[in-house]
Amino acid sequence: MGSSVVDLLAELVAINSVNGSMRDGPGEGALAEYVAAFGRRCGAEVSLDEVLPGRPNVRLRLPSRRGPAGASPVPGPSGAPPRRLLLDVHLDTVPLDTMPDPLSPRVRDGRMWGRGACDTKSSLAAALTALRRLAETDAPRGAEIEVLCTVDEEYRKRGVMHAVAGGLTADAAIVGEPTGLRPVIAHKGALRWRLTTIGKAAHTSQPENGHNAIYEMVEVIRWLRQRIEPALALQQHPLLTPPTFTVGRIEGGVGVNIVPERCSIEIDRRTLPQEGPDGILAEIDAMMTELMQRRPGLRVAREAPFLAERGSETAPGSAVVQAVQRSCRDVLGPDAPVTPRGVPYGTDATHLKGIPTVVFGPGDIAQAHSADEWVDLIEVERASEILLRVMQGFVDGSW
Ligand SMILES: [Zn+2]
C-alpha cells in the first residue's frame, strides 16, 4: 500500500480499469479488489456488490462511534440511523487508446501522466487517503462516512444507478471528478431519441412513383431547428449555459438507384435541471403534427427516448456546499475561488436525486479522456486535505 496519496495514485493508475463495456476494457474488477483490500486495512466495513459480471461497486463504510475503535455507534436524531456523508468516485476509465504507456505512471515537473491519473483516480486516491487518515484517529465520530466506488460511470452509469436502486441514502454527497478543486453543483441533463420519416421506395428512373424520405427529413430538420434553437438560446440558468439541440446522426436509403423509403435521425437534447423529458417530447410531437398538416404525405415516427437523464442541481447555500467552500479556503487560502459552478456534462451526481451533492476533485476536465492525461500532484494532495477536513467537520457535527 502506498503511504502517500501520490504513491497510492501511482498504484491505482497501474491497475487497468478500462470500462468493460468499452473497447478492450477488462472492467473494474481488479481495481475493485484493490480498493476493497485498502478499505479492510483501514478498518472500514467493506462490501462488494456486483453490478455487471465481474464488475462490482465497492462500499467502504466508517461507522459512527462514541470513542476509539470498538466503541458503540452514535444514533442519529431521535434514534434514527446515523447521519451519513457519501463520497462517490468511479473506478472505470475510458479506453487506453493512443496514450503512450498508459498504465505506467510517470512523474515529471510535479505532474503524473497515465490513463485515469486525472479522471478520476486522482479523486479516488484523495478520498481513500482522507478516509484512512480519518480512520487512524481515535476521535469519536458522530456520523458515518461511506466511500462508494462505482463501475460504468464512463458508459451508462449503471454502477451508481444500481446503488441508488438498492436503497442508497445519504445526508450529503461529494462526487469525485476533475473540477480543478472548484465546487460544482449543477449539471445539464441529456435526452436522446430517434425520428424516422417514412416515404415510398421506387426506382430512380421514375422517382415520381416514390416518396423520398430523405427529402422529407431535410424539411423536418429545418423545421425543428427553426423552432427550437432560438427558443432554447433564450432559456436561462444562473450556473449553466442554455440548453441545446443537436442532430448527431442521420441514416437513410439503401442504394443510389432507389428512392429512399426511410430516413432516421438521432437527436441529442441537453437540458436544464428544470426541464423534464415529457414536456420536451410533447413539444416535439406538437411541432411534427403542425408540419404534417402543412406537408400532406409527410409521415414521421418518433421512438421513445433511448436516454433520458435529467439535469440536477444543489442549492448554493446547502451545508455540504458551504463545508467544501470552507475547507477549500482553509487549505488553499482565503482567496481560493470557491464560487460554485455548473457543468454541461453528466456525472454520477446526476443520479443522486434528493441528496445535496457537490462534485469536486483535482485535475482539469480538459485532460480527461485525452492521450495526454495528467494531473498536478499538488492538487491531489490538497484535494485529500480538503476532503479530510470536510469529513472531520461532518463527523464532529460542525456541519
Ligand atoms: Zn470521470
Side-chain angles (χ1 to χ4, degrees), residues 12 17-19 28 31-32 35 56-58 87-94 115-116 118-125 127 147-155 157-160 174-178 345-349 359 365 368-369 373:
L12 300 177
S17 66
V18 172
N19 188 306
E28 302 85 342
L31 184 58
V35 170
N57 286 342
V58 189
L87 277 81
D88 169 300
V89 198
H90 65 85
L91 295 169
D92 57 322
T93 71
V94 294
R115 177 55 81 225
C118 172
D119 185 9
T120 213
K121 290 178 176 178
S122 52
S123 285
L124 182 58
V147 178
L148 169 67
C149 305
T150 60
V151 299
D152 197 45
E153 194 277 341
E154 297 289 4
Y155 185 56
K157 301 185 176 56
R158 286 169 289 184
V160 67
I174 297 173
V175 171
E177 290 285 2
Y345 49 85
T347 69
D348 275 358
V359 183
I365 194 74
H369 302 194
E373 181 169 356

Side-chain angles (χ1 to χ4, degrees), residues 90-288:
H90 65 85
L91 295 169
D92 57 322
T93 71
V94 294
L96 305 176
D97 278 337
T98 53
M99 193 169 188
D101 294 328
L103 303 173
S104 309
R106 293 168 312 291
V107 174
R108 186 163 47 85
D109 302 332
R111 293 173 175 179
M112 185 184 291
W113 276 261
R115 177 55 81 225
C118 172
D119 185 9
T120 213
K121 290 178 176 178
S122 52
S123 285
L124 182 58
L128 292 177
T129 305
L131 184 81
R132 180 174 65 200
R133 286 177 62 191
L134 187 68
E136 280 166 0
T137 69
D138 279 339
R141 293 193 291 261
E144 66 180 41
I145 304 287
E146 177 169 324
V147 178
L148 169 67
C149 305
T150 60
V151 299
D152 197 45
E153 194 277 341
E154 297 289 4
Y155 185 56
R156 285 170 55 189
K157 301 185 176 56
R158 286 169 289 184
V160 67
M161 288 165 77
H162 178 90
V164 168
L168 177 73
T169 57
D171 297 273
I174 297 173
V175 171
E177 290 285 2
T179 69
L181 304 184
R182 292 276 301 264
V184 165
I185 60 168
H187 285 71
K188 278 187 178 172
L191 182 66
R192 295 181 187 151
W193 73 95
R194 191 174 290 115
L195 278 186
T196 301
T197 49
I198 300 146
K200 182 167 174 276
H203 196 271
T204 48
S205 60
Q206 289 180 298
E208 65 277 13
N209 291 340
H211 189 103
N212 193 317
I214 290 180
Y215 293 170
E216 292 292 15
M217 185 56 84
V218 170
E219 298 304 323
V220 167
I221 293 172
R222 199 195 320 269
W223 178 259
L224 290 178
R225 289 190 65 198
Q226 278 170 356
R227 265 143 203 82
I228 294 172
E229 288 174 357
L232 294 188
L234 296 176
Q235 287 201 42
Q236 291 188 349
H237 185 277
L239 300 179
L240 296 166
T241 51
T244 55
F245 171 92
T246 306
V247 175
R249 282 195 73 227
I250 186 162
E251 192 174 27
V254 289
V256 71
N257 59 343
I258 303 167
V259 174
E261 188 178 18
R262 299 176 84 84
C263 182
S264 297
I265 54 172
E266 288 178 6
I267 296 168
D268 174 292
R269 173 76 156 72
R270 298 302 169 112
T271 61
L272 294 179
Q274 65 265 29
E275 295 184 292
D278 294 347
I280 292 168
L281 294 171
E283 224 173 75
I284 294 282
D285 291 347
M287 288 176 197
M288 294 321 308

Side-chain angles (χ1 to χ4, degrees), residues 25-48:
E28 302 85 342
L31 184 58
E33 289 297 338
Y34 180 95
V35 170
F38 182 100
R40 289 187 198 103
R41 283 194 298 270
C42 293
E45 293 176 12
V46 175
S47 60
L48 285 98

